[in-house]
Amino acid sequence: MRNARRFFWPNATVTFKGRVPAGCDLESRFSSLMESSMRSHLFHRTASLSLATLALLASSLQASAQTSFPTGTVRFVAPFSASTPPDIISRIVSKELAESEGWRVIVENRPGGVTTIAATDVLTQPADGNSLYAMSVPSVAAPSLVPNIPFDLSRDFDPVIKATVSYNVLVVNPSVPAKTVAELVTLLKSQPDKLTFSSGGFGTPAHLIGEQFKLQTGTRAQHVPYAQFPQAIGDLLNGTNAFMFITMLPVVDLIKTGKLRALAVTGPKRVPILPDVPTIVEAGYPSLVVEDWTGFAVRHGTPKQTVARLNAAINKALQKPSVREALAKIGAEPVGGTPEQFGRLVGDQVAHWHDVVAGMKVQQ
């Protein structure tokens, strides 16, 4: 037996502590063993290094996406014409984002197709968060109103935030012999399909809320849609149509001057700009509380960091006194919250308006 020996390998020193049998070429056997070990571990070490490099690269790209947003002009795409609630609210929010975040922001109007034109516009853009779809009640009713709609809200869009909530007001022409909601219901039941209600178009909130009113009160009235919102108000004023559910801003002065009679607002509480008008709950119809909300979504696949950035910026904007004041002037209240909360609202609203539209078709 030979004495113990010490062997050297690059970056390693190994001491064999024991008696070495005679005739055993321990140095050669040690070298062979180390070479085999190095070969067996080389692939695993290289693979680990590659995975670590890829993880580092992905993290770097995510951080870059977060810090570089926006990569261009941020577009709010409104599905209705100028001076409608989604348009006005988009402009209020975008103005604040431009001032507080330093972003270049514009609002583009893409009316038509029961909001599908605006939605499709956003879906043709890259999933980078630079294009936001201004959603409202018609957006979630569209899947039930438009045959073969070319997109799915839950699959093709990622929610960002519910920005505002507002309520409509039920108004009648002063010639209509109804001073309360109950009296209007009685009148409609006594003259089924004789009286008409107007809206700014098929699938608009005025149309949808009017249809829900008919279903839940068991009344019948003819819907008269107009291509232009002012025309709908004009024919309500001249008595061509009997009643309308309408956003508050265009009719506040008309109500105060007696040109229209307000029967109720569709909210759970009275609104500051029409403090003397009772709520639909006070009128005895709590099931007719209907929110007219506005929120924003982006194309599915937008980086989560970008969605979070947009959500944080808009939440911040909604807290600004100037924004809250501007919203109050049109009868809207800021909401805010998380993308997940808005996503749940969209899902619930799609189901709700599906039921209303199904009832419309049965009644027809």
Side-chain angles (χ1 to χ4, degrees), residues 271-341:
V271 296
I273 60 174
L274 291 172
D276 298 327
V277 179
T279 69
I280 203 76
V281 177
E282 293 176 81
Y285 297 89
S287 62
L288 286 173
V289 171
V290 181
E291 285 189 349
D292 191 3
W293 50 268
T294 297
F296 303 110
V298 291
R299 181 179 171 180
H300 177 67
T302 298
K304 292 186 182 298
Q305 293 84 354
T306 298
V307 173
R309 179 80 176 91
L310 284 164
N311 176 270
I314 297 174
N315 264 314
K316 178 182 173 184
L318 294 173
Q319 298 305 312
K320 293 294 184 71
S322 59
V323 170
R324 300 174 79 89
E325 181 181 351
L327 292 174
K329 289 180 179 178
I330 62 170
E333 302 173 12
V335 179
T338 67
E340 292 75 19
Q341 289 171 325

Side-chain angles (χ1 to χ4, degrees), residues 239-256:
T240 300
N241 299 309
F243 69 97
M244 183 177 184
F245 287 88
I246 187 170
T247 185
M248 297 179 198
L249 180 62
V251 295
V252 168
D253 289 339
L254 296 174
I255 292 169
K256 291 181 177 179

Side-chain angles (χ1 to χ4, degrees), residues 120-163:
T120 303
D121 179 289
V122 173
L123 293 178
T124 61
Q125 305 302 315
D128 56 10
N130 285 352
S131 294
L132 291 91
Y133 176 32
M135 299 180 65
S136 58
V137 167
S139 304
V140 291
S144 300
L145 290 169
V146 180
N148 303 316
I149 193 167
F151 56 82
D152 183 285
L153 288 174
S154 61
R155 181 193 66 211
D156 297 322
F157 288 93
D158 289 337
V160 175
I161 193 170
K162 178 184 179 182

Side-chain angles (χ1 to χ4, degrees), residues 135 170 216 225 238 246 261 271:
M135 299 180 65
L170 170 57
Q216 296 191 4
N238 66 29
I246 187 170
R261 181 185 303 130
V271 296

Side-chain angles (χ1 to χ4, degrees), residues 3-266:
N3 294 331
R5 297 182 61 186
R6 178 173 293 176
F7 301 100
F8 299 94
W9 191 260
N11 299 320
T13 301
V14 179
T15 302
F16 184 84
K17 295 181 179 180
R19 298 178 65 81
V20 183
C24 177
D25 187 357
L26 191 59
E27 185 169 1
S28 296
R29 294 186 65 180
F30 170 74
S31 297
S32 177
L33 177 64
M34 289 299 290
E35 289 174 355
S36 176
S37 176
M38 287 291 288
R39 283 195 300 270
S40 66
H41 287 286
L42 180 60
F43 171 77
H44 298 290
R45 186 175 178 187
T46 303
S48 298
L49 179 60
S50 298
L51 289 173
T53 302
L54 287 173
L56 181 62
L57 178 60
S59 176
S60 175
L61 288 173
Q62 290 174 348
S64 175
Q66 184 175 14
T67 56
S68 63
F69 178 82
T71 55
T73 300
V74 177
R75 304 165 61 240
F76 283 78
V77 183
F80 294 102
S81 58
S83 299
T84 56
D87 169 77
I88 296 172
I89 292 165
S90 295
R91 293 182 188 280
I92 292 171
V93 172
S94 64
K95 180 176 182 292
E96 177 57 36
L97 292 177
E99 293 176 356
S100 61
E101 304 295 332
W103 299 347
R104 288 180 296 159
V105 191
I106 61 173
V107 176
E108 295 185 359
N109 301 94
R110 296 286 185 270
V114 194
T115 75
T116 60
I117 292 176
T120 303
D121 179 289
V122 173
L123 293 178
T124 61
Q125 305 302 315
D128 56 10
N130 285 352
S131 294
L132 291 91
Y133 176 32
M135 299 180 65
S136 58
V137 167
S139 304
V140 291
S144 300
L145 290 169
V146 180
N148 303 316
I149 193 167
F151 56 82
D152 183 285
L153 288 174
S154 61
R155 181 193 66 211
D156 297 322
F157 288 93
D158 289 337
V160 175
I161 193 170
K162 178 184 179 182
T164 66
V165 63
S166 60
Y167 301 95
N168 284 268
V169 58
L170 170 57
V171 293
V172 297
N173 182 279
S175 65
V176 174
K179 293 182 170 57
T180 67
V181 178
E183 290 178 0
L184 178 61
V185 170
T186 300
L187 179 64
L188 292 172
K189 286 184 175 180
S190 70
Q191 302 179 48
D193 290 324
K194 297 298 183 183
L195 300 179
T196 57
F197 73 98
S198 53
S199 79
F202 180 79
T204 58
H207 172 212
L208 294 168
I209 298 171
E211 294 292 349
Q212 181 170 327
F213 172 77
K214 289 164 50 183
L215 289 170
Q216 296 191 4
T217 58
T219 56
R220 297 183 68 90
Q222 295 296 319
H223 172 229
V224 182
Y226 290 82
Q228 299 295 327
F229 196 69
Q231 293 175 332
I233 298 175
D235 274 3
L236 182 64
L237 288 169
N238 66 29
T240 300
N241 299 309
F243 69 97
M244 183 177 184
F245 287 88
I246 187 170
T247 185
M248 297 179 198
L249 180 62
V251 295
V252 168
D253 289 339
L254 296 174
I255 292 169
K256 291 181 177 179
T257 57
K259 294 180 180 178
L260 291 175
R261 181 185 303 130
L263 303 186
V265 295
T266 63

